[in-house]
Amino acid sequence: GTGTGTGGLMARMGVAKDGDANRTIFTEIVGGKARLRQDRPALVISSTSWTPDEDFSVLLDACVDVDTQVRDGRGNDNGAASSFPHVVVIVTGKGPQKEMYEERISRLQLEHVSIMTMWLEAADYPLLLGCADLGVSLHTSTSGIDLPMKILDLFGCEVPVCAIGFGCLDELVVDGKNGRVFSTSTELAGLMLELLGSFANISSARSDGTTNRATGELERLRKGIRGMTRWRENWNESAQDVIIGACPLWKNTTTGLGNSSGDGTHHQTDDGHWDPPLGLKLAIFFCFFFFFYWLTRHFML
């Protein structure tokens, strides 16, 4: 991948460019045990398909705003830029606009923020997410009713998310409980400064030589993620009665053709015709709908 400012960051943190067996910019070995460095950067993760559906300039502008405010001493309540952590932003994914944004990233002159782009193998992606302190989602739903899978990935690793707001987002991200919602790059910059501003205490050492991953507001949001309703509970509470209630009544019988399950039930109406469940009917409908939509777009445009 490509990025900005990582070489200087490694030098400042005493890590050789060709690698160091005892430390990275995030971790170090002390007493034979690996732990987070108390002076480590904050790690912010975002993933994108680099398409016009996601305006990635929102994140870049926010990073510039954060860098400017920290450099001017506005990143902390005490006005000290030195206590605000260096922020490493890693953007994963590939797509048609990646090179355009990489060129723009390469021209940024940032002191307190480093931005890197990379493409990860499937097995490495959850490992990176699990290391993150904060996630950023720029997904805006075209239909207004689909939720970003990237947020679910981050929540699965207990990583709080700053997400750009749209119609049904509150079904997943509850502002102030498991994440934060923003509309503009200025709002995103303010949230990053707020959530990462107390980062000096995030990696406080424990007596056993390990370190806390997060404290303060980030940890409170993590607890909100842990308290979220899981899939099975949500299915039982919100969907089961609706979906099963929409299925047709099945005719009970103990014998006869069409009893494919062997439990005395089959999909028949009173006149003996097979009646597919509602879910199958909907699946067939949408298959034909998208097929004819594709034909129309392909042959008539």
Side-chain angles (χ1 to χ4, degrees):
T2 62
T4 62
T6 53
L9 175 63
M10 293 176 68
R12 291 198 303 273
M13 301 191 70
V15 179
K17 288 186 177 181
D18 56 353
D20 190 319
N22 294 315
R23 65 172 54 187
T24 69
I25 62 174
F26 294 100
T27 60
E28 61 185 352
I29 296 177
V30 177
K33 295 182 179 180
R35 70 178 190 182
L36 295 172
R37 293 178 57 158
Q38 294 189 28
D39 60 345
R40 72 181 180 91
L43 180 58
V44 178
I45 301 293
S46 185
S47 61
T48 179
S49 56
W50 298 106
T51 63
D53 293 337
E54 294 183 344
D55 184 4
F56 216 76
S57 63
V58 173
L59 178 56
L60 297 188
D61 291 343
C63 289
V64 172
D65 195 354
V66 168
D67 188 79
T68 300
Q69 294 200 48
V70 174
R71 192 167 57 240
D72 294 345
R74 290 175 285 160
N76 293 277
D77 294 336
N78 59 12
S82 60
S83 63
F84 191 88
H86 192 97
V87 180
V88 174
V89 179
I90 297 181
V91 185
T92 68
K94 59 183 178 180
Q97 292 189 332
K98 183 177 182 179
E99 291 185 0
M100 178 189 75
Y101 279 109
E102 285 181 333
E103 194 277 331
R104 178 176 170 181
I105 291 170
S106 67
R107 290 187 279 108
L108 297 177
Q109 301 295 319
L110 304 177
E111 295 180 17
H112 299 277
V113 179
S114 299
I115 306 173
M116 303 176 62
T117 63
M118 60 180 62
W119 170 253
L120 298 173
E121 298 295 333
D124 295 327
Y125 180 60
L127 298 179
L128 178 63
L129 295 187
C131 297
D133 299 294
L134 182 67
V136 174
S137 171
L138 298 173
H139 172 90
T140 54
S141 169
T142 303
S143 66
I145 58 173
D146 67 292
L147 296 170
M149 289 301 298
K150 67 187 72 179
I151 295 181
L152 291 174
D153 292 337
L154 288 160
F155 280 175
C157 298
E158 296 185 358
V159 177
V161 176
C162 288
I164 194 166
F166 63 91
C168 65
L169 181 68
D170 58 356
E171 295 182 19
L172 184 59
V173 180
V174 181
D175 191 26
K177 184 174 182 180
N178 56 15
R180 301 301 304 272
V181 179
F182 63 91
S183 299
T184 65
S185 61
T186 301
E187 291 180 3
L188 176 57
L191 291 175
M192 292 174 67
L193 289 166
E194 174 189 342
L195 295 173
L196 303 176
S198 59
F199 206 79
N201 297 321
I202 284 178
S203 294
S204 57
R206 293 174 175 165
S207 59
D208 61 0
T210 61
T211 53
N212 292 320
R213 185 179 182 190
T215 58
E217 182 67 6
L218 283 176
E219 179 58 23
R220 190 182 68 80
L221 294 176
R222 286 187 190 278
K223 290 180 179 178
I225 296 172
R226 298 186 195 110
M228 291 176 64
T229 302
R230 300 302 178 182
W231 188 93
R232 176 63 63 182
E233 298 166 336
N234 203 29
W235 164 265
N236 291 337
E237 293 175 4
S238 306
Q240 178 175 268
D241 291 342
V242 175
I243 300 222
I244 292 181
C247 292
L249 294 177
W250 292 22
K251 182 179 178 181
N252 293 327
T253 183
T254 56
T255 60
L257 297 176
N259 180 15
S260 59
S261 63
D263 62 355
T265 62
H266 60 169
H267 304 257
Q268 282 190 343
T269 60
D270 289 335
D271 59 359
H273 292 91
W274 181 63
D275 185 21
L278 178 62
L280 181 57
K281 292 177 182 176
L282 291 174
I284 294 172
F285 169 81
F286 281 111
C287 284
F288 277 103
F289 174 84
F290 285 111
F291 174 71
F292 284 112
Y293 176 79
W294 176 82
L295 287 178
T296 302
R297 298 280 295 179
H298 187 73
F299 292 107
M300 297 186 65
L301 294 182

